[in-house]
């Protein structure tokens, strides 16, 4: 099976977690695109969605699903999103699509983070995938120097402006042995908006598309 088939299988399995008349938190990326496709026929059974990116909002609206402003929503049962890497402790690197800040905000609101992945995303140690860090434009060089002090090699993702009007530094060559601590340390650098470590608030449910079918770990 190819990677997309495995992503699709994980995304379809996540539909079982969608509650009648609920607002669904929806992430960003190719795995989530399959989830949105699966959600489309269910649109009359849900109230709508909140979305972590302009890209996903456009896909949701095209599927006939109402997109709510997060400020209008007090409570979210589930947030469904992919990951770039995930460990057995359900710590993740996210932000390959540049949507990490809105993803982290919606994940904070949701009662349950459901991570949908294909099996290539499972790792023992985070860091082979470059860690995305969203920065205020004027702080780019300063933040890059501080990230070097933390042992990484930041590379500016040139040409990308996030939905929030900021820039992304992708930090290479990190071997992340203590994800919660590194998440805290990077957040403390002035000019950092958010970093792609989702460790302090990891996933609650992981649905992995495998050759043997979707495997669910809760
Ligand atoms: C976007 C993300 C995505 O969840 C992550 O990049 C995985 O993407 P895909 O489902 O396309 O493999 O964090 O910012």
């Amino acid at each position: 099976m190819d990677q997309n088939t495995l992503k699709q299988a994980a995304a379809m399995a996540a539909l079982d977690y969608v509650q009648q008349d609920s607002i669904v938190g929806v992430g960003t990326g190719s795995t989530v695109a399959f989830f949105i496709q699966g959600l489309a026929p269910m649109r009359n059974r849900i109230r709508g969605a909140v979305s972590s990116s302009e890209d996903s909002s456009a896909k949701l609206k095209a599927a006939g699903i109402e997109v709510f402003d997060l400020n209008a929503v007090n409570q979210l049962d589930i947030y469904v999103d992919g990951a770039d890497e995930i460990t057995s402790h359900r710590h993740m690197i996210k932000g390959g699509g540049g949507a990490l800040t809105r993803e982290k905000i919606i994940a904070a609101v949701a009662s349950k983070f459901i991570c949908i992945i294909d099996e290539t995303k499972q790792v023992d140690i985070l860091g082979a995938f470059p860690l995305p860090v969203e920065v205020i434009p004027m702080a780019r060089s300063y933040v890059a120097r501080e990230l070097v002090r933390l042992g990484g090699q930041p590379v500016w993702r040139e040409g990308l402006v996030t939905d929030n009007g900021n820039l992304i530094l992708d930090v290479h060559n990190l071997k992340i042995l203590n994800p919660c601590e590194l998440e805290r340390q990077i957040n403390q650098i002035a000019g950092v908006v958010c970093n792609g470590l989702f460790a302090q608030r990891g996933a609650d449910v992981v649905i992995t598309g495998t050759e043997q079918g979707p495997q669910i770990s809760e």
Side-chain angles (χ1 to χ4, degrees):
M1 274 185 236
D2 68 9
Q3 198 177 0
N4 275 335
T5 308
L6 300 179
K7 287 181 180 193
Q8 186 171 24
M12 293 305 109
L15 294 171
D16 290 343
Y17 288 84
V18 175
Q19 304 276 331
Q20 184 91 11
D21 295 324
S22 65
I23 295 176
V24 182
V26 175
T28 298
S30 57
T31 317
V32 165
F34 288 120
F35 178 72
I36 295 172
Q37 276 174 20
L39 204 55
M42 299 169 65
R43 62 182 157 264
N44 296 327
R45 292 172 23 214
I46 59 171
R47 283 175 57 207
V50 292
S51 159
S52 69
S53 65
E54 299 300 329
D55 183 60
S56 286
S57 294
K59 289 188 170 88
L60 286 159
K61 286 176 191 164
I65 297 167
E66 184 173 356
V67 177
F68 289 85
D69 183 329
L70 185 64
N71 292 305
V73 175
N74 290 327
Q75 185 252 336
L76 267 185
D77 293 332
I78 61 168
Y79 175 59
V80 179
D81 200 356
D84 299 300
E85 286 185 345
I86 187 164
T87 68
S88 57
H89 299 289
R90 300 180 189 153
H91 297 149
M92 296 166 279
I93 285 183
K94 291 185 44 52
L100 58 154
T101 299
R102 295 187 188 193
E103 291 172 349
K104 206 174 267 195
I105 295 167
I106 303 180
V109 175
S111 307
K112 200 174 261 188
F113 186 135
I114 300 172
C115 180
I116 50 176
I117 50 163
D118 65 85
E119 56 195 348
T120 65
K121 306 294 183 69
Q122 292 169 330
V123 297
D124 292 328
I125 296 172
L126 297 171
F129 189 93
L131 176 67
V133 179
E134 181 164 351
V135 299
I136 300 285
M138 70 172 284
R140 174 174 54 86
S141 298
Y142 167 70
V143 172
R145 289 194 294 275
E146 292 299 302
L147 291 168
V148 169
R149 279 157 53 98
L150 290 177
Q153 291 189 326
V155 175
W156 176 20
R157 207 185 295 181
E158 284 191 67
L160 184 117
V161 176
T162 69
D163 287 348
N164 312 307
N166 298 313
L167 306 177
I168 299 281
L169 294 172
D170 290 308
V171 191
H172 294 249
N173 293 340
L174 287 172
K175 192 171 172 191
I176 303 173
L177 299 175
N178 189 338
C180 290
E181 177 57 18
L182 187 63
E183 185 177 358
R184 246 189 305 274
Q185 282 179 314
I186 296 177
N187 283 342
Q188 280 167 5
I189 302 171
V192 167
V193 177
C194 185
N195 75 80
L197 276 170
F198 284 57
Q200 292 169 37
R201 199 275 187 259
D204 302 298
V205 178
V206 182
I207 306 179
T208 309
T210 74
E211 297 288 336
Q212 290 73 41
Q215 288 181 359
I216 300 178
S217 141
E218 335 201 0

